[in-house]
Amino acid sequence: MRVLMFGWEFPPHISGGLGTACYGLVKGLDHHKQEIIFVVPKLWGDEEPLADFVNASDVTLDYREKKFKSIWKNLTYLEVSSFLVPYLGPEEYQKFTDYAIHDRVDLDESIFTSKYAFSGKYGKNLMEEVSRYALTAAQIARDRDDFELIHAHDWLSFPAGIAAKEISGKPLIAHVHATEYDRSGESVNPPVFEIEKAGMEAADHILAVSHLTKNTIVNKYGIPAEKVSVLHNAVLDASIIKSKYQKKVPEKIVTFLGRITFQKGPEYFVEAAKKVIDRDPNVRFVMAGSGDLLNRMVDRVAELNIASKFHFTGFLKGDDVDHMYAISDVYVMPSVSEPFGISPLEAVRHNTPTIISKQSGVAEVLVNAIKIDFWDIDAMADAIFALLHYQSISNMFKELGSKELKRLKWEHVAERLVKTYEKILAEKS
């Protein structure tokens, strides 16, 4: 089977879990001998050759295609905002738009060129790039007839998937890794919500990374439940990582690793840290990541007078992430709303006992982790204290977690996805 797949990023150039999930899925599909045409706004040249990659920045548009005009008319959200950036909280979003709104360009002039140099990032011209990506997708779908269906990942690629479907008539799968409700709570950004909803409505089938996400799709976007199936994320390698990296401090280390935004619940981690340190001052807490709530968290740590035991590392990547997991005695993911959450699986791979919020998709597949409500800082603090001070409990989670990983592989996920592909094609034929 040959699939035309649209994403926004691919390792090693990623900013979060979306690129990691795309990599795992493509590698799993490659294991099952599926052929993937993977389109990204910008290729960097060092991507692992797992697919037939297409660099959208190299595609030349031919505006003699009449359908381009109808596709452009449907991209009305561009008129609402050309400076929207994903993963910002309401506070940082407001600051960003205050200056970005004064720095717009003539959109028609920039969009309607024969070639377009995508940044491949999440900058102030993001919505312009999303729009051009859709037009480019139409061109790719028109030029190539060697695919059987279309698979688009998240809202940034949904307009591209819709455009490719309009040109080719091939079925579209919309893969939802996160919704605007996960990123922003109830204060959703209307343009993103409308793009998500349009993508879900246009799709022949929707994949959700968890039952939690499926419920949001059904209840918030009005999509029939039978149109949505759940495809959990996984890990690339189920083996336990035995790192030689040693921590340089005698205290136990408790880690939060992720975007420091509303969605990830960093404030609950800080409040729980205070409770643990009051009971045992010989513990260090680490918040690894960046985001719009970072300054607020630094201020709160100072207010609580725990700064000598609390560390902010900034954004980590590559080996630094592995080193952080390796020196951690407990990993905590207190997400307010986490569609899935791959990081706890990575923590388990490093033999690190894990605490996760019940409001996460990974809680549906990771049995051997302590699960708490994100808002229950007393329960979080008690769980952290127990894992740090009762070695038998910690060892139990390490042993059971390593066994559990073996059933959470991307090739198993890809096998289920191939069956979904086959079912959709059978229904269409």
Side-chain angles (χ1 to χ4, degrees):
M1 190 181 307
R2 198 156 170 82
V3 180
L4 178 60
M5 190 174 287
F6 293 97
W8 197 260
E9 57 182 35
F10 199 86
H13 302 278
I14 61 174
S15 66
L18 176 59
T20 302
C22 286
Y23 176 81
L25 200 58
V26 169
K27 191 156 189 175
L29 290 168
D30 179 66
H31 176 81
H32 291 285
K33 311 301 181 185
Q34 304 301 304
E35 298 181 57
I36 307 298
I37 306 166
F38 198 95
V39 186
V40 287
K42 182 175 182 177
L43 282 178
W44 301 86
D46 53 355
E47 293 82 5
E48 188 175 339
L50 295 171
D52 178 3
F53 283 103
V54 176
N55 185 356
S57 296
D58 288 340
V59 176
T60 302
L61 296 193
D62 180 359
Y63 292 106
R64 290 173 295 182
E65 174 59 61
K66 292 181 179 179
K67 285 189 177 180
F68 276 114
K69 292 182 179 179
S70 64
I71 290 171
W72 175 246
K73 286 180 181 178
N74 290 333
L75 298 176
T76 53
Y77 55 82
L78 183 63
E79 299 172 6
V80 179
S81 171
S82 68
F83 45 81
L84 185 62
V85 179
Y87 312 131
L88 297 186
E91 183 178 308
E92 188 172 3
Y93 176 75
Q94 185 60 49
K95 291 179 182 177
F96 190 85
T97 55
D98 282 345
Y99 73 79
I101 196 169
H102 299 295
D103 194 29
R104 298 183 65 176
V105 297
D106 185 331
L107 296 176
D108 281 355
E109 182 180 335
S110 57
I111 290 286
F112 288 106
T113 55
S114 60
K115 273 193 176 183
Y116 183 95
F118 289 91
S119 70
K121 297 182 179 179
Y122 303 95
K124 62 187 178 183
N125 294 324
L126 180 64
M127 292 302 254
E128 179 182 327
E129 295 202 4
V130 169
S131 300
R132 174 63 188 219
Y133 195 39
L135 294 178
T136 304
Q139 185 73 52
I140 294 169
R142 195 196 72 164
D143 292 345
R144 306 186 68 149
D145 59 0
D146 57 342
F147 63 92
E148 296 166 77
L149 53 79
I150 304 156
H151 188 151
H153 292 278
D154 255 1
W155 71 272
L156 294 160
S157 300
F158 284 176
I162 294 171
K165 179 180 178 179
E166 289 183 7
I167 289 291
S168 68
K170 304 290 177 65
L172 167 65
I173 291 178
H175 200 147
V176 181
H177 297 262
T179 71
E180 183 58 12
Y181 286 92
D182 298 306
R183 292 182 289 268
S184 304
E186 293 298 321
S187 303
V188 299
N189 290 312
V192 176
F193 172 83
E194 293 300 329
I195 294 172
E196 290 177 331
K197 186 173 174 63
M200 294 175 196
E201 290 176 344
D204 295 273
H205 191 73
I206 299 168
L207 295 172
V209 293
S210 64
H211 292 283
L212 183 72
T213 303
K214 178 176 179 176
N215 290 338
T216 301
I217 292 169
V218 172
N219 297 325
K220 298 293 189 180
Y221 295 82
I223 304 298
E226 59 271 17
K227 189 178 179 179
V228 189
S229 61
V230 174
L231 193 73
H232 290 115
N233 289 332
V235 290
L236 285 168
D237 188 344
S239 61
I240 295 297
I241 297 172
K242 296 180 179 179
S243 175
K244 296 180 180 178
Y245 195 81
Q246 300 292 322
K247 63 181 178 182
K248 306 295 193 299
V249 295
E251 298 98 331
K252 297 290 181 72
I253 294 177
V254 182
T255 299
F256 167 108
L257 195 156
R259 294 192 310 276
I260 306 177
T261 61
F262 159 81
Q263 178 190 353
K264 301 296 184 179
E267 61 267 44
Y268 303 102
F269 180 75
V270 171
E271 299 300 327
K274 169 63 174 173
K275 289 181 175 292
V276 173
I277 292 170
D278 283 346
R279 295 168 69 180
D280 181 3
N282 294 313
V283 181
R284 291 181 183 268
F285 285 79
V286 176
M287 183 166 283
S290 60
D292 62 297
L293 293 184
L294 175 58
N295 290 339
R296 192 183 300 179
M297 294 304 100
V298 172
D299 290 343
R300 184 57 179 157
V301 165
E303 289 172 2
L304 294 172
N305 198 30
I306 56 173
S308 63
K309 295 294 182 179
F310 204 107
H311 309 272
F312 295 90
T313 69
F315 180 76
L316 299 181
K317 61 181 180 179
D319 289 342
D320 289 337
V321 174
D322 289 333
H323 292 165
M324 195 66 250
Y325 283 128
I327 64 174
S328 299
D329 295 282
V330 176
Y331 177 77
V332 184
M333 189 186 78
S335 297
V336 173
S337 179
E338 187 70 57
F340 188 78
I342 292 178
S343 60
L345 299 183
E346 292 301 321
V348 172
R349 285 196 66 212
H350 286 80
N351 232 1
T352 305
T354 302
I355 300 168
I356 57 179
S357 75
K358 295 177 182 178
Q359 292 74 25
S360 64
V362 72
E364 298 170 12
V365 298
L366 190 57
V367 176
N368 295 297
I370 296 178
K371 301 168 188 177
I372 47 92
D373 289 305
F374 70 87
W375 45 262
D376 195 342
I377 58 174
D378 288 319
M380 192 185 305
D382 287 343
I384 292 170
F385 189 87
L387 288 172
L388 292 177
H389 292 84
Y390 300 102
Q391 195 60 45
S392 58
I393 297 176
S394 179
N395 290 340
M396 177 188 72
F397 280 107
K398 289 180 181 181
E399 182 180 348
L400 294 176
S402 64
K403 293 179 180 178
E404 192 168 15
L405 284 179
K406 292 180 174 58
R407 62 178 181 82
L408 299 174
K409 294 183 179 180
W410 276 112
E411 48 260 45
H412 300 155
V413 176
E415 184 179 8
R416 294 194 294 274
L417 179 56
V418 172
K419 292 178 181 178
T420 301
Y421 285 162
E422 292 171 344
K423 181 181 177 182
I424 293 169
L425 289 173
E427 291 171 351
K428 284 295 175 181
S429 61

